[in-house]
């Protein structure tokens, strides 16, 4: 298998994704940025770690989109990161211009690729990339639900002092304050979470999860989270390039599913070779459905700000 992944944006998220991908060893990686020297320097540094990996895969840094030609997957991380006090939605106009330009260029070079969006505000950027690329919706997918879910799983495991491996959870909705945690479906080694933690405690963990990115922004002061976002993104690349048909929450364009039209939110999908192989329409309670629709409406408001 000779797969190729391009990562646009060689900042914190992009470079960490590139490093993880090279360590996976199933694809050659191109790391691209607008800043001259930055992707070349980081790629060279990562390349020099490959003798210790023994996978034979390579990484190349570039400022030229022609080097991304024929990519199977393109990950878009280019954009401005949050500063303390900012919401993801505050980034919309700045990152819109960046994501629009980047999408036009990658589509020209890799018309068959699957695009994974990471740039925030995630759901609106996924919508924008879908419209600009004119790809089918299964090939333009946003990364957020996996990140929100792994944050939730981490906090639950810490609270219970159990292995993170045993915590199963799911978070749907937009990547922001309106995300929809589903604690009734959360289990720990098959045991319902509600048997292990009081409702108040669960609610506290959900609130910490919702503000999970903000907590890190406040600590870092000069940037936003990137290790867990990169790990979540690479989980999606794995599912696609290795044709794994994983069931994962991803941000996708909805056309009537869950009663939502013309908006992007996180829902469970089967992620495989073609990107989204299937959108899963699970049974939600009336409250959960209402929360998901509210989240989609909040995303729609951000989409409307873009007026593209
Ligand atoms: N083309 C290519 N690269 C660009 C462009 C562009 N038009 N504009 C900006 N970049 C690059 C910057 O030069 C920078 O190297 O995008 C990179 C962004 O990196 P960081 O500032 O380190 O931001 P990062 O933490 O990686 O976050 C990137 O992901 O999680 C989201 O909210 C986050 O939207 C943000 C994005």
């Amino acid at each position: 298998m000779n797969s190729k992944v391009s990562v646009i944006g060689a900042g914190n998220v992009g470079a960490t994704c590139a490093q993880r991908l090279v360590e996976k060893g199933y694809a050659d990686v191109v790391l691209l940025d607008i800043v001259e020297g930055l992707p070349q320097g980081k790629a060279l540094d990562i390349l020099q770690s490959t003798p210790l990996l023994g996978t034979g895969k390579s990484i190349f840094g570039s400022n030229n989109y022609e080097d991304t030609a024929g990519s199977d997957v393109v990950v878009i991380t280019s954009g401005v990161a949050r500063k303390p006090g900012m919401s993801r939605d505050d980034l919309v106009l700045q990152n819109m211009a960046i994501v629009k330009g980047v999408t036009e260029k990658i589509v020209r070079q890799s018309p068959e690729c699957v695009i994974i969006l990471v740039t925030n505000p995630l759901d609106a950027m996924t919508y924008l990339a879908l419209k600009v690329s004119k790809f089918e919706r299964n090939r333009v997918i946003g990364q957020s639900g996996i990140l929100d879910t792994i944050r939730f799983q981490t906090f639950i495991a810490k609270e219970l002092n159990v292995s993170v491996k045993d915590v199963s959870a799911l978070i749907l909705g937009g990547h922001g304050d309106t995300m929809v945690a589903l604690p009734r479906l959360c289990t720990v080694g098959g045991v319902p979470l509600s048997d292990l933690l009081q409702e108040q405690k669960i609610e506290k963990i959900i609130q910490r999860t919702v503000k999970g990115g903000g907590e890190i922004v406040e600590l870092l002061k000069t940037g936003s989270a990137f290790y867990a976002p990169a790990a979540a993104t690479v989980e999606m690349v794995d599912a696609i390039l290795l044709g794994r048909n994983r069931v994962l929450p991803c941000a996708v364009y909805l056309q009537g599913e869950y009663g939502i039209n013309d908006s992007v939110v996180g829902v469970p999908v089967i992620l495989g070779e073609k990107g989204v192989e299937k959108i899963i329409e699970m049974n939600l309670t009336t409250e959960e459905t209402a929360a998901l629709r509210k989240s989609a409406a909040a995303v729609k408001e951000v989409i409307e700000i873009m007026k593209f």
Side-chain angles (χ1 to χ4, degrees):
M1 185 172 59
N2 213 9
S3 302
K4 178 171 176 178
V5 181
S6 291
V7 180
I8 314 301
N12 280 336
V13 179
T16 311
C17 273
Q19 180 195 356
R20 280 185 168 261
L21 287 166
V22 167
E23 288 174 358
K24 290 276 181 183
Y26 50 56
D28 289 316
V29 177
V30 175
L31 182 62
L32 186 144
D33 201 283
I34 200 167
V35 177
E36 283 180 26
L38 182 71
Q40 290 87 348
K42 289 192 178 180
L44 185 59
D45 194 6
I46 295 170
L47 183 69
Q48 289 166 2
S49 71
T50 59
L52 300 176
L53 303 174
T55 62
K57 291 296 175 193
S58 198
I59 176 162
F60 181 74
S62 175
N63 307 114
N64 182 352
Y65 281 83
E66 284 174 16
D67 292 320
T68 68
S71 295
D72 300 288
V73 176
V74 178
V75 177
I76 301 182
T77 75
S78 47
V80 179
R82 276 198 282 171
K83 296 190 178 58
M86 286 175 93
S87 82
R88 294 183 182 95
D89 294 349
D90 292 335
L91 303 170
V92 66
L93 292 176
Q94 262 172 303
N95 284 351
M96 170 194 171
I98 294 171
V99 168
K100 183 169 183 286
V102 166
T103 304
E104 285 163 355
K105 292 183 193 109
I106 60 173
V107 163
R108 236 171 274 147
Q109 301 297 333
S110 304
E112 304 300 325
C113 72
V114 174
I115 302 176
I116 299 177
L117 270 296
V118 184
T119 305
N120 277 311
L122 188 276
D123 308 278
M125 292 302 118
T126 305
Y127 184 98
L128 174 68
L130 176 76
K131 297 293 174 184
V132 171
S133 66
K134 302 192 173 68
F135 280 8
E136 314 84 71
R137 65 175 176 160
N138 64 302
R139 291 201 285 139
V140 183
I141 317 163
Q143 183 291 115
S144 58
I146 301 173
L147 173 61
D148 296 327
T149 300
I150 60 179
R151 282 180 172 150
F152 189 43
Q153 288 170 318
T154 304
F155 296 145
I156 290 167
K158 280 259 163 244
E159 182 62 34
L160 293 171
N161 193 23
V162 298
S163 167
V164 285
K165 277 267 166 229
D166 293 327
V167 182
S168 174
L170 180 59
I171 295 198
L172 307 181
H175 189 42
D177 291 348
T178 61
M179 71 178 73
V180 183
L182 301 174
R184 84 181 159 90
L185 300 179
C186 182
T187 56
V188 181
V191 180
L193 181 63
S194 54
D195 289 1
L196 300 169
L197 281 180
Q198 286 176 341
E199 209 180 312
Q200 265 181 334
K201 197 85 206 175
I202 296 173
E203 188 48 40
K204 242 180 144 176
I205 293 175
I206 291 173
Q207 283 318 310
R208 188 171 180 200
T209 304
V210 171
K211 303 282 179 200
E215 183 178 351
I216 292 173
V217 171
E218 294 300 324
L219 289 167
L220 294 180
K221 296 183 181 68
T222 56
S224 52
F226 55 99
Y227 292 114
T233 306
V234 170
E235 193 80 349
M236 292 174 68
V237 180
D238 282 7
I240 296 164
L241 281 188
L242 303 177
R244 285 206 157 134
N245 284 5
R246 295 284 315 278
V247 178
L248 296 166
C250 294
V252 290
Y253 181 76
L254 297 182
Q255 290 172 307
E257 294 87 356
Y258 297 95
I260 297 166
N261 249 308
D262 193 38
S263 189
V264 169
V265 280
V267 292
V269 305
I270 299 177
L271 199 60
E273 219 174 340
K274 297 194 191 81
V276 174
E277 305 278 346
K278 188 177 190 267
I279 293 173
I280 296 175
E281 280 200 82
M282 61 192 287
N283 288 325
L284 297 174
T285 64
T286 312
E287 293 77 32
E288 289 162 351
T289 303
L292 189 62
R293 289 182 187 162
K294 191 174 158 211
S295 192
V299 170
K300 203 65 196 277
E301 281 176 26
V302 182
I303 290 169
E304 271 153 21
I305 296 173
M306 295 195 289
K307 291 194 189 99
F308 64 93

